[in-house]
Amino acid sequence: YGPASGKKLIVFIDDMNMPKVDIYGTQQPITLLLTLLDHGFIYDREKDLNQKTIKDLQYIAAMGPPGGGRNPVDPRFIARFNVFNISEPTVDVLKGIFSNIIEARVTEFNDSIKGVASKITD
């Protein structure tokens, strides 16, 4: 199973650390995905547990730090990904980015509009 021949399917997993931790200390959706990543197949629970091989998938995931309803994720699962930490930008950085974008967009407008552009991000 998978996308059409010669194609790839990118699966985006948002809030990867949201699944509830069960009494055994596992997160069942994460365990299912770990099995799929490690072995390349899952079992069909409807038809005598037949194996279904899944091919040509790529995974991208996002998650926040643990806390506030987010749980730590199994390190064996995270080890399957390249992990990037993106810090939240400061207010000054955001103002700088958006003011540059707005000022670039209004360069062809009247001077009265150009003067107001800097006030939008303040």
Side-chain angles (χ1 to χ4, degrees), residues 17-83:
N17 56 346
M18 291 299 285
K20 182 180 176 185
V21 178
D22 62 20
I23 59 172
Y24 303 105
T26 61
Q27 295 165 297
Q28 293 180 8
I30 300 297
T31 304
L32 177 66
L33 288 169
L34 182 59
T35 301
L36 179 59
L37 286 170
D38 283 350
H39 303 294
F41 65 84
I42 55 175
Y43 291 101
D44 183 358
R45 294 178 53 192
E46 298 289 323
K47 298 181 181 178
D48 300 329
L49 295 177
N50 293 330
Q51 275 187 4
K52 292 196 174 192
T53 302
I54 314 271
K55 294 184 177 185
D56 298 324
L57 296 182
Q58 294 179 344
Y59 300 90
I60 299 175
M63 66 180 183
R70 295 185 182 116
N71 301 301
V73 177
D74 186 352
R76 294 176 300 152
F77 182 65
I78 294 176
R80 305 305 189 271
F81 292 90
N82 292 317
V83 178

